[in-house]
mmCIF file of all heavy atoms in Angstrom:
data_model
loop_
_atom_site.group_PDB
_atom_site.id
_atom_site.type_symbol
_atom_site.label_atom_id
_atom_site.label_comp_id
_atom_site.label_asym_id
_atom_site.label_seq_id
_atom_site.Cartn_x
_atom_site.Cartn_y
_atom_site.Cartn_z
ATOM 1 N N LYS A 28 -1.293 56.212 7.220
ATOM 2 C CA LYS A 28 -2.282 55.959 8.286
ATOM 3 C C LYS A 28 -3.663 56.442 7.883
ATOM 4 O O LYS A 28 -4.673 55.855 8.269
ATOM 5 C CB LYS A 28 -1.843 56.630 9.585
ATOM 6 C CG LYS A 28 -2.757 56.307 10.751
ATOM 7 C CD LYS A 28 -2.004 55.729 11.899
ATOM 8 C CE LYS A 28 -2.924 55.200 12.959
ATOM 9 N NZ LYS A 28 -3.258 56.097 13.997
ATOM 10 N N GLU A 29 -3.749 57.508 7.095
ATOM 11 C CA GLU A 29 -5.042 57.987 6.592
ATOM 12 C C GLU A 29 -5.752 56.899 5.804
ATOM 13 O O GLU A 29 -6.967 56.790 5.824
ATOM 14 C CB GLU A 29 -4.857 59.211 5.682
ATOM 15 C CG GLU A 29 -4.508 60.482 6.401
ATOM 16 C CD GLU A 29 -4.227 61.621 5.437
ATOM 17 O OE1 GLU A 29 -4.384 61.451 4.200
ATOM 18 O OE2 GLU A 29 -3.818 62.699 5.904
ATOM 19 N N VAL A 30 -4.988 56.079 5.108
ATOM 20 C CA VAL A 30 -5.555 55.045 4.246
ATOM 21 C C VAL A 30 -5.775 53.736 5.004
ATOM 22 O O VAL A 30 -6.869 53.166 4.958
ATOM 23 C CB VAL A 30 -4.654 54.792 3.011
ATOM 24 C CG1 VAL A 30 -5.206 53.669 2.150
ATOM 25 C CG2 VAL A 30 -4.494 56.073 2.197
ATOM 26 N N VAL A 31 -4.757 53.253 5.701
ATOM 27 C CA VAL A 31 -4.841 51.920 6.311
ATOM 28 C C VAL A 31 -5.473 51.922 7.699
ATOM 29 O O VAL A 31 -5.919 50.887 8.181
ATOM 30 C CB VAL A 31 -3.474 51.207 6.362
ATOM 31 C CG1 VAL A 31 -2.933 50.990 4.967
ATOM 32 C CG2 VAL A 31 -2.479 51.951 7.226
ATOM 33 N N LYS A 32 -5.461 53.064 8.372
ATOM 34 C CA LYS A 32 -6.130 53.271 9.672
ATOM 35 C C LYS A 32 -5.489 52.542 10.845
ATOM 36 O O LYS A 32 -5.999 52.618 11.940
ATOM 37 C CB LYS A 32 -7.615 52.869 9.607
ATOM 38 C CG LYS A 32 -8.391 53.463 8.476
ATOM 39 C CD LYS A 32 -8.626 54.929 8.670
ATOM 40 C CE LYS A 32 -9.602 55.439 7.631
ATOM 41 N NZ LYS A 32 -9.229 56.655 7.039
ATOM 42 N N GLU A 33 -4.415 51.813 10.652
ATOM 43 C CA GLU A 33 -3.770 51.076 11.742
ATOM 44 C C GLU A 33 -2.281 51.415 11.783
ATOM 45 O O GLU A 33 -1.615 51.468 10.749
ATOM 46 C CB GLU A 33 -3.953 49.570 11.563
ATOM 47 C CG GLU A 33 -5.393 49.124 11.698
ATOM 48 C CD GLU A 33 -5.546 47.623 11.587
ATOM 49 O OE1 GLU A 33 -4.558 46.901 11.831
ATOM 50 O OE2 GLU A 33 -6.651 47.178 11.255
ATOM 51 N N HIS A 34 -1.777 51.588 12.996
ATOM 52 C CA HIS A 34 -0.384 51.998 13.215
ATOM 53 C C HIS A 34 0.615 51.051 12.545
ATOM 54 O O HIS A 34 1.478 51.489 11.784
ATOM 55 C CB HIS A 34 -0.124 52.087 14.723
ATOM 56 C CG HIS A 34 1.311 52.241 15.088
ATOM 57 N ND1 HIS A 34 2.002 53.414 14.888
ATOM 58 C CD2 HIS A 34 2.198 51.357 15.612
ATOM 59 C CE1 HIS A 34 3.253 53.247 15.289
ATOM 60 N NE2 HIS A 34 3.396 52.018 15.730
ATOM 61 N N TYR A 35 0.499 49.760 12.835
ATOM 62 C CA TYR A 35 1.494 48.813 12.323
ATOM 63 C C TYR A 35 1.425 48.665 10.808
ATOM 64 O O TYR A 35 2.457 48.523 10.148
ATOM 65 C CB TYR A 35 1.358 47.451 13.006
ATOM 66 C CG TYR A 35 1.706 47.527 14.468
ATOM 67 C CD1 TYR A 35 0.736 47.393 15.448
ATOM 68 C CD2 TYR A 35 3.013 47.784 14.865
ATOM 69 C CE1 TYR A 35 1.061 47.495 16.801
ATOM 70 C CE2 TYR A 35 3.355 47.882 16.204
ATOM 71 C CZ TYR A 35 2.371 47.738 17.166
ATOM 72 O OH TYR A 35 2.708 47.847 18.487
ATOM 73 N N LEU A 36 0.233 48.702 10.255
ATOM 74 C CA LEU A 36 0.118 48.646 8.795
ATOM 75 C C LEU A 36 0.710 49.900 8.167
ATOM 76 O O LEU A 36 1.357 49.829 7.117
ATOM 77 C CB LEU A 36 -1.346 48.477 8.378
ATOM 78 C CG LEU A 36 -1.968 47.119 8.630
ATOM 79 C CD1 LEU A 36 -3.438 47.127 8.223
ATOM 80 C CD2 LEU A 36 -1.226 46.029 7.880
ATOM 81 N N ALA A 37 0.506 51.052 8.801
ATOM 82 C CA ALA A 37 1.077 52.293 8.279
ATOM 83 C C ALA A 37 2.601 52.224 8.288
ATOM 84 O O ALA A 37 3.259 52.658 7.333
ATOM 85 C CB ALA A 37 0.585 53.485 9.097
ATOM 86 N N GLU A 38 3.170 51.664 9.343
ATOM 87 C CA GLU A 38 4.627 51.488 9.389
ATOM 88 C C GLU A 38 5.108 50.564 8.274
ATOM 89 O O GLU A 38 6.138 50.816 7.652
ATOM 90 C CB GLU A 38 5.055 50.926 10.743
ATOM 91 C CG GLU A 38 4.999 51.930 11.864
ATOM 92 C CD GLU A 38 5.489 51.372 13.187
ATOM 93 O OE1 GLU A 38 5.509 50.132 13.350
ATOM 94 O OE2 GLU A 38 5.867 52.178 14.044
ATOM 95 N N ASP A 39 4.372 49.498 8.026
ATOM 96 C CA ASP A 39 4.724 48.581 6.935
ATOM 97 C C ASP A 39 4.672 49.289 5.588
ATOM 98 O O ASP A 39 5.539 49.088 4.731
ATOM 99 C CB ASP A 39 3.794 47.373 6.908
ATOM 100 C CG ASP A 39 4.042 46.406 8.046
ATOM 101 O OD1 ASP A 39 5.085 46.528 8.729
ATOM 102 O OD2 ASP A 39 3.181 45.527 8.262
ATOM 103 N N VAL A 40 3.666 50.111 5.401
ATOM 104 C CA VAL A 40 3.522 50.859 4.144
ATOM 105 C C VAL A 40 4.715 51.788 3.948
ATOM 106 O O VAL A 40 5.295 51.858 2.855
ATOM 107 C CB VAL A 40 2.198 51.646 4.116
ATOM 108 C CG1 VAL A 40 2.184 52.668 2.992
ATOM 109 C CG2 VAL A 40 1.014 50.701 4.000
ATOM 110 N N VAL A 41 5.099 52.502 4.992
ATOM 111 C CA VAL A 41 6.238 53.421 4.891
ATOM 112 C C VAL A 41 7.514 52.638 4.575
ATOM 113 O O VAL A 41 8.311 53.048 3.731
ATOM 114 C CB VAL A 41 6.384 54.259 6.176
ATOM 115 C CG1 VAL A 41 7.671 55.078 6.158
ATOM 116 C CG2 VAL A 41 5.179 55.175 6.349
ATOM 117 N N HIS A 42 7.682 51.513 5.217
ATOM 118 C CA HIS A 42 8.850 50.665 4.940
ATOM 119 C C HIS A 42 8.876 50.238 3.466
ATOM 120 O O HIS A 42 9.906 50.350 2.791
ATOM 121 C CB HIS A 42 8.839 49.442 5.858
ATOM 122 C CG HIS A 42 9.883 48.431 5.551
ATOM 123 N ND1 HIS A 42 11.220 48.661 5.780
ATOM 124 C CD2 HIS A 42 9.789 47.191 5.017
ATOM 125 C CE1 HIS A 42 11.910 47.596 5.399
ATOM 126 N NE2 HIS A 42 11.068 46.687 4.934
ATOM 127 N N GLU A 43 7.746 49.755 2.977
ATOM 128 C CA GLU A 43 7.657 49.338 1.572
ATOM 129 C C GLU A 43 7.914 50.516 0.634
ATOM 130 O O GLU A 43 8.542 50.361 -0.418
ATOM 131 C CB GLU A 43 6.275 48.731 1.282
ATOM 132 C CG GLU A 43 6.057 47.378 1.916
ATOM 133 C CD GLU A 43 6.995 46.315 1.381
ATOM 134 O OE1 GLU A 43 7.287 46.314 0.164
ATOM 135 O OE2 GLU A 43 7.457 45.490 2.185
ATOM 136 N N THR A 44 7.451 51.687 1.013
ATOM 137 C CA THR A 44 7.676 52.878 0.196
ATOM 138 C C THR A 44 9.158 53.223 0.151
ATOM 139 O O THR A 44 9.697 53.541 -0.915
ATOM 140 C CB THR A 44 6.862 54.070 0.741
ATOM 141 O OG1 THR A 44 5.480 53.713 0.801
ATOM 142 C CG2 THR A 44 7.023 55.287 -0.153
ATOM 143 N N PHE A 45 9.823 53.140 1.285
ATOM 144 C CA PHE A 45 11.260 53.413 1.295
ATOM 145 C C PHE A 45 12.032 52.387 0.467
ATOM 146 O O PHE A 45 12.993 52.740 -0.224
ATOM 147 C CB PHE A 45 11.809 53.475 2.719
ATOM 148 C CG PHE A 45 11.590 54.816 3.372
ATOM 149 C CD1 PHE A 45 10.965 54.899 4.604
ATOM 150 C CD2 PHE A 45 12.012 55.981 2.758
ATOM 151 C CE1 PHE A 45 10.763 56.134 5.210
ATOM 152 C CE2 PHE A 45 11.818 57.217 3.353
ATOM 153 C CZ PHE A 45 11.192 57.291 4.583
ATOM 154 N N LEU A 46 11.620 51.141 0.505
ATOM 155 C CA LEU A 46 12.276 50.134 -0.333
ATOM 156 C C LEU A 46 12.089 50.463 -1.814
ATOM 157 O O LEU A 46 13.018 50.294 -2.618
ATOM 158 C CB LEU A 46 11.741 48.737 -0.010
ATOM 159 C CG LEU A 46 12.102 48.194 1.367
ATOM 160 C CD1 LEU A 46 11.456 46.831 1.576
ATOM 161 C CD2 LEU A 46 13.613 48.117 1.552
ATOM 162 N N GLN A 47 10.921 50.941 -2.179
ATOM 163 C CA GLN A 47 10.694 51.347 -3.563
ATOM 164 C C GLN A 47 11.563 52.558 -3.910
ATOM 165 O O GLN A 47 12.129 52.626 -5.002
ATOM 166 C CB GLN A 47 9.225 51.670 -3.809
ATOM 167 C CG GLN A 47 8.957 52.079 -5.242
ATOM 168 C CD GLN A 47 7.496 52.359 -5.523
ATOM 169 O OE1 GLN A 47 6.636 52.186 -4.673
ATOM 170 N NE2 GLN A 47 7.218 52.814 -6.726
ATOM 171 N N LEU A 48 11.653 53.507 -2.992
ATOM 172 C CA LEU A 48 12.491 54.686 -3.241
ATOM 173 C C LEU A 48 13.949 54.306 -3.452
ATOM 174 O O LEU A 48 14.638 54.920 -4.273
ATOM 175 C CB LEU A 48 12.375 55.678 -2.080
ATOM 176 C CG LEU A 48 11.069 56.450 -1.998
ATOM 177 C CD1 LEU A 48 11.032 57.291 -0.730
ATOM 178 C CD2 LEU A 48 10.859 57.321 -3.228
ATOM 179 N N ILE A 49 14.423 53.306 -2.741
ATOM 180 C CA ILE A 49 15.802 52.849 -2.928
ATOM 181 C C ILE A 49 16.003 52.363 -4.359
ATOM 182 O O ILE A 49 17.032 52.648 -4.983
ATOM 183 C CB ILE A 49 16.144 51.746 -1.902
ATOM 184 C CG1 ILE A 49 16.320 52.377 -0.525
ATOM 185 C CG2 ILE A 49 17.390 50.965 -2.316
ATOM 186 C CD1 ILE A 49 16.421 51.394 0.606
ATOM 187 N N ARG A 50 15.003 51.672 -4.892
ATOM 188 C CA ARG A 50 15.123 51.150 -6.267
ATOM 189 C C ARG A 50 15.156 52.266 -7.315
ATOM 190 O O ARG A 50 15.742 52.101 -8.378
ATOM 191 C CB ARG A 50 13.978 50.189 -6.558
ATOM 192 C CG ARG A 50 14.102 48.854 -5.832
ATOM 193 C CD ARG A 50 13.094 47.834 -6.325
ATOM 194 N NE ARG A 50 11.733 48.151 -5.932
ATOM 195 C CZ ARG A 50 11.172 47.820 -4.770
ATOM 196 N NH1 ARG A 50 11.870 47.165 -3.866
ATOM 197 N NH2 ARG A 50 9.921 48.133 -4.499
ATOM 198 N N ILE A 51 14.513 53.393 -7.015
ATOM 199 C CA ILE A 51 14.412 54.479 -8.009
ATOM 200 C C ILE A 51 15.112 55.758 -7.557
ATOM 201 O O ILE A 51 14.862 56.827 -8.123
ATOM 202 C CB ILE A 51 12.933 54.780 -8.336
ATOM 203 C CG1 ILE A 51 12.187 55.261 -7.094
ATOM 204 C CG2 ILE A 51 12.255 53.579 -8.970
ATOM 205 C CD1 ILE A 51 10.819 55.842 -7.366
ATOM 206 N N ILE A 52 15.995 55.669 -6.588
ATOM 207 C CA ILE A 52 16.574 56.859 -5.960
ATOM 208 C C ILE A 52 17.251 57.787 -6.972
ATOM 209 O O ILE A 52 17.215 59.008 -6.813
ATOM 210 C CB ILE A 52 17.542 56.485 -4.804
ATOM 211 C CG1 ILE A 52 17.858 57.711 -3.941
ATOM 212 C CG2 ILE A 52 18.797 55.833 -5.338
ATOM 213 C CD1 ILE A 52 16.704 58.203 -3.135
ATOM 214 N N ASP A 53 17.842 57.241 -8.025
ATOM 215 C CA ASP A 53 18.511 58.090 -9.014
ATOM 216 C C ASP A 53 17.525 58.946 -9.809
ATOM 217 O O ASP A 53 17.895 59.988 -10.349
ATOM 218 C CB ASP A 53 19.351 57.242 -9.971
ATOM 219 C CG ASP A 53 20.566 56.650 -9.278
ATOM 220 O OD1 ASP A 53 21.097 57.285 -8.340
ATOM 221 O OD2 ASP A 53 20.978 55.528 -9.650
ATOM 222 N N LYS A 54 16.272 58.535 -9.874
ATOM 223 C CA LYS A 54 15.249 59.280 -10.610
ATOM 224 C C LYS A 54 14.503 60.286 -9.736
ATOM 225 O O LYS A 54 13.744 61.097 -10.249
ATOM 226 C CB LYS A 54 14.240 58.312 -11.226
ATOM 227 C CG LYS A 54 14.858 57.372 -12.232
ATOM 228 C CD LYS A 54 13.850 56.384 -12.732
ATOM 229 C CE LYS A 54 14.499 55.362 -13.644
ATOM 230 N NZ LYS A 54 13.560 54.325 -14.058
ATOM 231 N N VAL A 55 14.728 60.225 -8.428
ATOM 232 C CA VAL A 55 14.036 61.117 -7.500
ATOM 233 C C VAL A 55 14.801 62.435 -7.401
ATOM 234 O O VAL A 55 16.009 62.452 -7.195
ATOM 235 C CB VAL A 55 13.928 60.464 -6.092
ATOM 236 C CG1 VAL A 55 13.285 61.422 -5.108
ATOM 237 C CG2 VAL A 55 13.156 59.159 -6.167
ATOM 238 N N HIS A 56 14.069 63.538 -7.566
ATOM 239 C CA HIS A 56 14.670 64.875 -7.481
ATOM 240 C C HIS A 56 14.220 65.541 -6.198
ATOM 241 O O HIS A 56 13.025 65.599 -5.906
ATOM 242 C CB HIS A 56 14.267 65.721 -8.686
ATOM 243 C CG HIS A 56 14.683 65.115 -9.991
ATOM 244 N ND1 HIS A 56 15.986 65.126 -10.430
ATOM 245 C CD2 HIS A 56 13.979 64.442 -10.937
ATOM 246 C CE1 HIS A 56 16.063 64.503 -11.588
ATOM 247 N NE2 HIS A 56 14.860 64.071 -11.924
ATOM 248 N N ILE A 57 15.188 66.046 -5.439
ATOM 249 C CA ILE A 57 14.861 66.660 -4.155
ATOM 250 C C ILE A 57 14.990 68.186 -4.197
ATOM 251 O O ILE A 57 14.855 68.850 -3.173
ATOM 252 C CB ILE A 57 15.725 66.083 -3.013
ATOM 253 C CG1 ILE A 57 17.204 66.325 -3.259
ATOM 254 C CG2 ILE A 57 15.435 64.600 -2.832
ATOM 255 C CD1 ILE A 57 18.101 65.941 -2.084
ATOM 256 N N ASP A 58 15.212 68.743 -5.382
ATOM 257 C CA ASP A 58 15.422 70.186 -5.509
ATOM 258 C C ASP A 58 14.167 70.994 -5.188
ATOM 259 O O ASP A 58 14.252 72.035 -4.544
ATOM 260 C CB ASP A 58 15.887 70.532 -6.934
ATOM 261 C CG ASP A 58 17.156 69.785 -7.307
ATOM 262 O OD1 ASP A 58 17.888 69.376 -6.396
ATOM 263 O OD2 ASP A 58 17.396 69.600 -8.513
ATOM 264 N N ASP A 59 13.033 70.551 -5.644
ATOM 265 C CA ASP A 59 11.777 71.274 -5.455
ATOM 266 C C ASP A 59 10.952 70.578 -4.363
ATOM 267 O O ASP A 59 10.433 69.478 -4.566
ATOM 268 C CB ASP A 59 11.000 71.300 -6.775
ATOM 269 C CG ASP A 59 9.691 72.049 -6.681
ATOM 270 O OD1 ASP A 59 9.411 72.675 -5.635
ATOM 271 O OD2 ASP A 59 8.929 72.009 -7.666
ATOM 272 N N GLU A 60 10.824 71.244 -3.218
ATOM 273 C CA GLU A 60 10.168 70.625 -2.063
ATOM 274 C C GLU A 60 8.703 70.292 -2.336
ATOM 275 O O GLU A 60 8.224 69.225 -1.925
ATOM 276 C CB GLU A 60 10.270 71.537 -0.847
ATOM 277 C CG GLU A 60 9.783 70.865 0.418
ATOM 278 C CD GLU A 60 10.026 71.697 1.658
ATOM 279 O OE1 GLU A 60 10.959 72.513 1.666
ATOM 280 O OE2 GLU A 60 9.267 71.495 2.621
ATOM 281 N N LEU A 61 7.988 71.154 -3.019
ATOM 282 C CA LEU A 61 6.569 70.883 -3.309
ATOM 283 C C LEU A 61 6.389 69.674 -4.213
ATOM 284 O O LEU A 61 5.511 68.837 -3.989
ATOM 285 C CB LEU A 61 5.900 72.113 -3.929
ATOM 286 C CG LEU A 61 5.686 73.293 -2.993
ATOM 287 C CD1 LEU A 61 5.100 74.474 -3.767
ATOM 288 C CD2 LEU A 61 4.786 72.911 -1.834
ATOM 289 N N THR A 62 7.234 69.572 -5.224
ATOM 290 C CA THR A 62 7.161 68.430 -6.139
ATOM 291 C C THR A 62 7.551 67.140 -5.415
ATOM 292 O O THR A 62 6.899 66.104 -5.583
ATOM 293 C CB THR A 62 8.096 68.659 -7.346
ATOM 294 O OG1 THR A 62 7.722 69.883 -7.984
ATOM 295 C CG2 THR A 62 8.004 67.521 -8.336
ATOM 296 N N LEU A 63 8.596 67.211 -4.602
ATOM 297 C CA LEU A 63 9.027 66.040 -3.840
ATOM 298 C C LEU A 63 7.932 65.588 -2.875
ATOM 299 O O LEU A 63 7.614 64.398 -2.800
ATOM 300 C CB LEU A 63 10.313 66.338 -3.070
ATOM 301 C CG LEU A 63 10.834 65.222 -2.164
ATOM 302 C CD1 LEU A 63 11.127 63.950 -2.967
ATOM 303 C CD2 LEU A 63 12.058 65.697 -1.399
ATOM 304 N N ARG A 64 7.334 66.531 -2.177
ATOM 305 C CA ARG A 64 6.264 66.206 -1.223
ATOM 306 C C ARG A 64 5.073 65.563 -1.938
ATOM 307 O O ARG A 64 4.516 64.568 -1.464
ATOM 308 C CB ARG A 64 5.851 67.474 -0.488
ATOM 309 C CG ARG A 64 4.902 67.257 0.657
ATOM 310 C CD ARG A 64 4.668 68.603 1.367
ATOM 311 N NE ARG A 64 3.687 68.476 2.389
ATOM 312 C CZ ARG A 64 3.941 68.161 3.653
ATOM 313 N NH1 ARG A 64 5.178 67.951 4.034
ATOM 314 N NH2 ARG A 64 2.973 68.073 4.532
ATOM 315 N N ALA A 65 4.701 66.112 -3.077
ATOM 316 C CA ALA A 65 3.584 65.549 -3.851
ATOM 317 C C ALA A 65 3.931 64.143 -4.342
ATOM 318 O O ALA A 65 3.088 63.239 -4.307
ATOM 319 C CB ALA A 65 3.249 66.461 -5.030
ATOM 320 N N PHE A 66 5.160 63.969 -4.790
ATOM 321 C CA PHE A 66 5.610 62.653 -5.250
ATOM 322 C C PHE A 66 5.572 61.637 -4.106
ATOM 323 O O PHE A 66 5.049 60.530 -4.267
ATOM 324 C CB PHE A 66 7.031 62.765 -5.822
ATOM 325 C CG PHE A 66 7.651 61.431 -6.124
ATOM 326 C CD1 PHE A 66 7.231 60.673 -7.213
ATOM 327 C CD2 PHE A 66 8.664 60.926 -5.312
ATOM 328 C CE1 PHE A 66 7.801 59.443 -7.486
ATOM 329 C CE2 PHE A 66 9.245 59.700 -5.579
ATOM 330 C CZ PHE A 66 8.809 58.954 -6.673
#
């Protein structure tokens, strides 16, 4: 929302991001919260 400034576009962005995360989920590490948050 900071970038797109509109509620519905922000929801679309999050959806697209989750779809990307599904494609790379095996490479995502959740052990370090700061690194995960930055990623």
Side-chain angles (χ1 to χ4, degrees):
K28 185 125 189 267
E29 287 175 4
V30 177
V31 298
K32 309 289 189 224
E33 294 183 23
H34 169 73
Y35 294 110
L36 288 177
E38 286 183 339
D39 288 347
V40 166
V41 172
H42 173 70
E43 289 296 322
T44 304
F45 278 127
L46 292 177
Q47 181 178 356
L48 287 174
I49 286 170
R50 288 190 290 275
I51 62 168
I52 194 69
D53 290 329
K54 298 176 185 175
V55 177
H56 301 285
I57 60 173
D58 303 337
D59 181 7
E60 188 173 333
L61 290 176
T62 303
L63 177 60
R64 188 176 175 90
F66 171 73

